[in-house]
Amino acid sequence: MNYSIEKISSLIAHVPNFPKEGINFKDITPILQNGEAFRALTHYFAESIPESVTKLAAIESRGFIFAASIAHHLGLGIVLVRKPGKLPRETYEHSYGLEYGQDTLQIHRDALKSDDRVVIIDDVLATGGTAAAVEKLCEVSGATILGHRFLMEIESLNGRKKLNYPVSSFIRC
Ligand code: AMP
């Protein structure tokens, strides 16, 4: 790969006070804008996914982009974890506290089966509330959770502590 994780990391823009005062927003869109970097990152993610996985759980919205490219690379399905009112059929839902506010996530009731083995994908692990909610939604579906993959982890927020399954991230800040 021409793009190391360090080089990919250097593309991330750190935007102070967005979307609120006090939040240092990690903007990953410069990675998506760079074809070589995005492809390399997809390879790194894909290499980290165990062979026994049957589906990736993708967190709205930047998680969709990474999960879709990894799933395409590996020939896996993805299930969408979305904000309320977006999924058209029967859902499970879970509410949680976010670094900037309160939110609820939903998953289609038929998205995961009890024999599915899932890895949860997102761009940034901050407080861990979002990923913990996704764990709950996967558990309610009866699937086995193998772990989480994040591009970046904000270590000072201790998000890992909220999670009950193995966490790995390529970049820590
Ligand atoms: P949390 O539940 O606090 O771990 O927040 C994780 C979710 O919010 C992820 O889907 C991230 O995309 C987004 N997020 C939270 N904090 C940030 C941040 N500082 N920069 C970029 N995205 C963030």
Side-chain angles (χ1 to χ4, degrees), residues 91-110:
T91 59
Y92 296 118
E93 72 173 39
H94 190 84
S95 296
Y96 63 102
L98 194 70
E99 192 185 355
Y100 36 84
Q102 255 274 321
D103 220 336
T104 299
L105 288 176
Q106 299 181 327
I107 190 171
H108 270 142
R109 286 192 178 221
D110 64 2

Side-chain angles (χ1 to χ4, degrees), residues 23-26 62 98-100 122-130 154:
I23 304 292
N24 186 14
F25 192 82
K26 313 298 179 194
R62 289 174 297 272
L98 194 70
E99 192 185 355
Y100 36 84
D122 205 0
D123 62 339
V124 173
L125 173 62
T127 65
T130 307
I154 305 172

Side-chain angles (χ1 to χ4, degrees), residues 1-11 34-41 44:
M1 282 296 137
N2 285 337
Y3 268 80
S4 62
I5 290 293
E6 289 68 32
K7 214 166 150 195
I8 292 169
S9 176
S10 72
L11 294 174
N34 180 320
E36 263 190 85
F38 187 25
R39 183 161 62 179
L41 179 59
Y44 294 130

Side-chain angles (χ1 to χ4, degrees), residues 19-168:
K20 275 189 179 171
E21 197 68 28
I23 304 292
N24 186 14
F25 192 82
K26 313 298 179 194
D27 176 19
I28 55 91
T29 58
I31 300 172
L32 307 179
Q33 287 160 210
N34 180 320
E36 263 190 85
F38 187 25
R39 183 161 62 179
L41 179 59
T42 300
H43 277 267
Y44 294 130
F45 265 117
E47 277 172 2
S48 79
I49 306 291
E51 270 186 26
S52 62
V53 167
T54 59
K55 287 188 183 127
L56 301 178
I59 303 180
E60 184 164 357
S61 61
R62 289 174 297 272
F64 289 176
I65 299 166
F66 290 132
S69 69
I70 302 159
H72 176 70
H73 187 86
L74 293 172
L76 294 171
I78 72 170
V79 301
L80 304 185
V81 182
R82 300 210 64 178
K83 305 209 168 114
K86 304 284 186 184
L87 294 171
R89 294 179 295 104
E90 265 203 297
T91 59
Y92 296 118
E93 72 173 39
H94 190 84
S95 296
Y96 63 102
L98 194 70
E99 192 185 355
Y100 36 84
Q102 255 274 321
D103 220 336
T104 299
L105 288 176
Q106 299 181 327
I107 190 171
H108 270 142
R109 286 192 178 221
D110 64 2
L112 292 170
K113 308 275 183 277
S114 56
D115 59 352
D116 273 318
R117 296 168 62 77
V118 182
V119 170
I120 299 166
I121 308 284
D122 205 0
D123 62 339
V124 173
L125 173 62
T127 65
T130 307
V134 180
E135 287 185 350
K136 295 283 178 298
L137 292 170
C138 293
E139 284 170 348
V140 168
S141 303
T144 302
I145 302 168
L146 298 182
H148 298 263
R149 300 289 181 277
F150 296 95
L151 170 60
M152 174 174 268
E153 175 175 359
I154 305 172
E155 283 188 300
S156 57
L157 294 174
N158 270 324
R160 252 173 207 264
K161 286 222 169 112
K162 284 213 183 86
L163 302 179
N164 294 316
Y165 299 89
V167 173
S168 92

